[in-house]
Amino acid sequence: MTRRHPSVGAVRGALADQPTMSMFCTYQQPDLIELFGAERMVRLPIAENTMLGMAVGMALLGRRVLVSIARAAFLFTAFDQLVNEATKWRYMSDGQFTVPVVVRGLTQGGEQLGAQHEHAAHGLLSQIPGLVVAVPGSPNAAAGLLRTALVHPDPVVVLESPRLYAADWASLPEPEPTDAALPFGVAGRARPGRDLTLVGIGNTVATCLRAAAVLDRDGLHAQVVDLRTAAPLDLDGVTAMVRTAGGQVILVDEAPAGVSVMSALGLHLVRTGAVAPQRLDVVAGAPVPAPVSPPLSAALLPDEEHVVSAARRGAAR
Amino acid sequence: MIASDAAGARISAGAGTGNTQTMDLSDAYREMVRIRVFEEQVLACAAAGQVPGSVHPYTGQEAVAVGVLAARQPDEWVVSFYRCHGHALAAGVAAAGLAREILGRVGGVCGGKAGSMHIADRSRYLLGASSIVATQLPIAAGAALAEKTAGSGRAVIAFCGDGAFGAGAAYETLTVAAVLGLPLLLVCEENGWQDHTPSDLVRHRTPGETARGLGLDCAEVDGNDVTAVHRAAAAALAHCRAGRPQVLVAHTYLRHFHAQLGPQPPGEYRPAAERERWLARDPLTRVEATLAGPSAAIRKQAATGRERAATVREQATAELAEVFADALAADRPDPASAVTAVTAATWPPGATWPEAVTVREPAA
């Protein structure tokens, strides 16, 4: 008996609650058609730009659209509609219109699909004013953030790690106790700990939890923070959580570290005095496109060993 | 290439499918003159350095907006693009709110956030205007899908220029519109130019050929003849409302070329002969000739037609002179409103506006 993924319930619940909600897809799921009708499960050609533009137009008339774009990297084909239309129409009309569009896309890791299919885009998308960028770190968080996204009046991109939907998804470390709706811009404490703080987002939340389990055996008790949304970014909430543990912080991200969510967070933590600059570390993905061969992709992404060694290095300072 | 006669015959063959919209030529003329005078005022303000940003005047194309929108039901959505003042006025947007928006003054229809190129007015079913070529097409198709899904029986009208047919979004949108049977009327204002480039240099098919090649119904009409435009739009809308998307290509021309940015007059690089040929076919003059002419339907107006034309222009000039004087005397928007209407999400304190960013008073 397999447990149904929590996000399935989130989507079905929203479709049941909102008769004016539609789903845009290039593949129609037979069970959803049976439940909600082919008219609401709109099958479109593989034309992401127009698909997203149509979602904007439908949403402007007050009908919510969930766009399943398959791979988050395909969103780049629709970037004009996302950046120039979906997120700006409310502002340009001075609030006369809202655009309740939710876009779901898979990011990277574990599928070996290569550079054009795998991309952790949360840092890039977090630069778009007003766009909510949700990056669930667990199956329950995926459901919780989807529930909030599907009642939100403005565009939301939900970036989901393929790991959250792999066959063994139920074996992932699961910090959240329920699949209740999770608010945007509020980071969660995935694990308590008094000696240091590990901050993860998306894929790296599980990495941090595994690293924390290893560090426990050293007598280092790490709390793990799940950012949950790259935008809004819960700077003050993370700062408050960091202050409850010993003054060492490791920010862990699969996206490159350059101009990133973690660099913004790190700056804030230092400016507010929550961490001394020399006790702050970033463990991040390499600025390299995703290769296909497993040992190559593994070499580019942070794993728990990277986090554990960073923690040990920091503890020795 | 004008094919109004042939196209007109095709259109009337399709008429009689329930369309009851009629257009009063005098009303249409009044609206066209208002758009003309409004745009002349905007250009005067631009020349005086009073318009922030750019202006894409609609002068010369008034018959398209007025003729098409006279055929819509008042609750049918309109989607426009950066050359949107004419569409906005013809859709019923208040001249005062539009002028204040373009001039960046308080009381603008979009609070100063739209300026000239992105006008939206929910109260007039103007869904908005996009300043990126062809991006408004999928959005209009989505709105049409919303109407279809709601079973409203209403069409959505989208305007574009002929340059939009160079963009992939046009092909994608027309394909989807045909597949889904969307109630979408796409009106292409074919003025022969895309920015600095004559359209014929960068395409091997006209918009009409493209639309027909994609399997859509497409009528072509003399876009400077408001009666012909109206008749074609009314017939096309009847089909749209029944779930058959339509393309209407209106052949027209701009009196004031493409765009004006800052107080310098816009450049003119179109051939003089081409320009003169089109300016002689000005849509306003043609209605004036009809109103003053011997047509049986308006014979009683014939004697006073010319005077009426002068009166209509005087009235529009007086009305809009006051509107623009009032707008120019109005305050500029409160800088604090620059950060409103971005999103409903609660952006937590500290993440919203970094302390280093301050909202400054714009230069007077």
Side-chain angles (χ1 to χ4, degrees):
Chain A
M1 167 100 186
T2 50
R3 196 174 131 223
R4 198 161 72 182
H5 199 284
S7 67
V8 172
V11 172
R12 289 188 182 187
L15 283 161
D17 292 347
Q18 302 178 60
T20 59
M21 174 181 159
S22 297
M23 225 175 111
F24 283 7
C25 43
T26 52
Y27 164 71
Q28 289 171 308
Q29 290 172 254
D31 53 333
L32 289 182
I33 292 179
E34 196 176 315
L35 282 171
F36 303 109
E39 202 177 53
R40 292 176 65 191
M41 302 293 122
V42 184
R43 189 205 294 261
L44 291 165
I46 301 169
E48 287 85 0
N49 192 41
T50 281
M51 187 188 281
L52 199 60
M54 287 183 65
V56 172
M58 201 154 185
L60 285 168
L61 265 61
R63 303 181 79 89
R64 175 180 305 283
V65 185
L66 170 60
V67 181
S68 173
I69 201 136
R71 321 297 315 182
F74 301 168
L75 200 50
F76 302 151
T77 304
F79 226 41
D80 180 54
Q81 287 292 343
L82 178 73
V83 181
N84 276 319
E85 314 296 333
T87 61
K88 292 178 181 171
W89 211 286
R90 180 193 186 101
Y91 188 75
M92 293 192 300
S93 71
D94 199 23
Q96 294 180 75
F97 295 98
T98 56
V99 184
V101 167
V102 179
V103 184
R104 282 177 87 177
L106 294 170
T107 56
Q108 68 177 18
E111 293 188 310
Q112 315 308 140
L113 295 174
Q116 295 183 323
H117 277 61
E118 300 207 11
H119 203 118
H122 53 268
L124 175 62
L125 296 177
S126 71
Q127 295 253 336
I128 302 167
L131 182 67
V132 171
V133 183
V135 195
S138 71
N140 279 337
L145 290 167
L146 268 170
R147 282 183 207 284
T148 303
L150 290 169
V151 293
H152 189 67
D154 297 316
V156 180
V157 174
V158 185
L159 298 171
E160 297 167 296
S161 161
R163 185 74 188 83
L164 300 178
Y165 295 92
D168 62 343
W169 62 265
S171 68
L172 281 172
E174 181 63 79
E176 291 82 13
T178 71
D179 62 358
L182 293 175
F184 297 147
V186 179
R189 186 185 269 115
R191 181 190 195 272
R194 61 171 190 274
D195 295 328
L196 75 157
T197 305
L198 309 178
V199 180
I201 183 167
N203 250 341
T204 59
V205 175
T207 308
C208 290
L209 288 168
R210 285 191 291 265
V214 174
L215 290 168
D216 266 347
R217 297 199 284 272
D218 292 5
L220 273 176
H221 302 294
Q223 73 169 334
V224 175
V225 172
D226 178 358
L227 284 179
R228 291 185 185 154
T229 53
L233 184 55
D234 187 7
L235 297 175
D236 291 346
V238 177
T239 304
M241 283 189 270
V242 161
R243 287 185 190 280
T244 67
Q248 185 191 353
V249 176
I250 301 169
L251 309 177
V252 189
D253 196 353
E254 60 181 331
V259 180
S260 69
V261 168
M262 292 306 182
S263 61
L265 178 60
L267 174 66
H268 188 81
L269 292 173
V270 168
R271 284 183 72 217
T272 52
V275 64
Q278 66 274 18
R279 305 219 64 202
L280 174 70
D281 227 330
V282 179
V283 176
V288 173
V292 171
S293 173
L296 300 184
S297 57
L300 299 172
L301 294 175
D303 60 19
E304 56 259 46
E305 284 172 33
H306 295 117
V307 180
V308 166
S309 1
R312 286 174 181 157
R313 274 198 312 274
R317 269 185 209 127
Chain B
M1 182 185 56
I2 304 298
S4 59
D5 288 345
R10 201 143 39 82
I11 290 155
S12 33
T17 47
N19 172 59
T20 53
Q21 291 300 123
T22 54
M23 182 185 70
D24 182 292
L25 191 57
S26 300
D27 289 347
Y29 178 68
R30 197 173 298 115
E31 198 51 55
M32 289 163 68
V33 171
R34 271 184 96 233
I35 295 171
R36 174 70 54 88
V37 175
F38 185 95
E39 292 293 66
E40 287 169 352
Q41 289 275 9
V42 171
L43 287 167
C45 291
Q50 293 161 325
V51 178
S54 67
V55 170
H56 297 76
Y58 199 67
T59 51
Q61 300 188 179
E62 297 89 345
V64 184
V66 171
V68 169
L69 294 185
R72 79 158 171 161
Q73 303 292 344
D75 55 357
E76 288 180 317
W77 289 100
V78 177
V79 182
S80 180
F81 61 107
Y82 50 85
R83 198 180 303 286
C84 60
H85 308 168
H87 307 137
L89 289 168
V93 176
L98 184 59
R100 284 170 174 238
E101 184 64 37
I102 294 165
L103 294 169
R105 303 301 171 128
V106 73
V109 65
C110 295
K113 291 162 178 167
S116 167
M117 293 196 285
H118 313 107
I119 303 292
D121 187 346
R122 191 181 186 99
S123 71
R124 300 296 168 180
Y125 286 81
L126 178 60
L127 195 58
S130 179
S131 61
I132 299 175
V133 170
T135 54
Q136 76 278 21
L137 271 49
I139 291 172
L145 179 57
E147 295 290 28
K148 180 190 160 83
T149 308
S152 70
R154 290 191 283 264
V156 171
I157 299 161
F159 290 95
C160 70
D162 39 318
F165 276 74
Y171 296 80
E172 294 181 7
T173 298
L174 293 178
T175 301
V176 173
V179 170
L180 297 183
L182 298 183
L184 175 70
L185 171 61
L186 176 60
V187 180
C188 174
E189 302 181 330
E190 157 88 70
N191 64 25
W193 289 78
Q194 21 200 296
D195 202 329
H196 287 50
T197 302
S199 287
D200 285 338
L201 281 185
V202 290
R203 67 188 184 192
H204 80 295
R205 280 179 156 194
T206 65
E209 288 163 350
T210 298
R212 283 186 283 270
L214 289 167
L216 274 90
D217 296 339
C218 175
E220 305 206 25
V221 69
D222 179 352
N224 284 15
D225 179 345
V226 69
T227 305
V229 171
H230 174 258
R231 200 187 303 129
L237 280 169
H239 289 304
C240 287
R241 294 177 191 124
R244 266 177 63 190
Q246 307 280 311
V247 176
L248 175 63
V249 178
H251 295 272
T252 185
Y253 206 68
L254 282 170
R255 291 187 74 87
H256 297 90
F257 192 54
H258 178 67
Q260 174 151 343
L261 193 59
Q264 294 304 315
E268 179 57 78
Y269 29 83
R270 296 173 300 182
E274 172 189 297
R275 206 167 147 250
E276 279 162 27
R277 192 167 67 246
W278 273 98
L279 296 189
R281 307 178 62 245
D282 187 86
L284 269 57
T285 319
R286 291 171 71 177
V287 182
E288 286 160 18
T290 310
L291 286 175
S295 159
I298 54 160
R299 187 165 296 142
K300 62 178 187 296
Q301 301 175 335
T304 55
R306 293 280 179 203
E307 291 91 302
R308 277 165 178 268
T311 309
V312 167
R313 195 170 231 287
E314 276 164 26
Q315 283 171 349
T317 305
E319 177 211 343
L320 294 169
E322 197 179 322
V323 159
F324 277 83
D326 174 70
L328 285 168
D331 289 338
R332 295 173 195 279
D334 179 359
S337 70
V339 298
T340 61
V342 178
T343 172
T346 309
W347 239 247
T352 316
W353 318 115
E355 294 86 332
V357 175
T358 53
V359 180
R360 278 176 317 225
E361 192 74 28

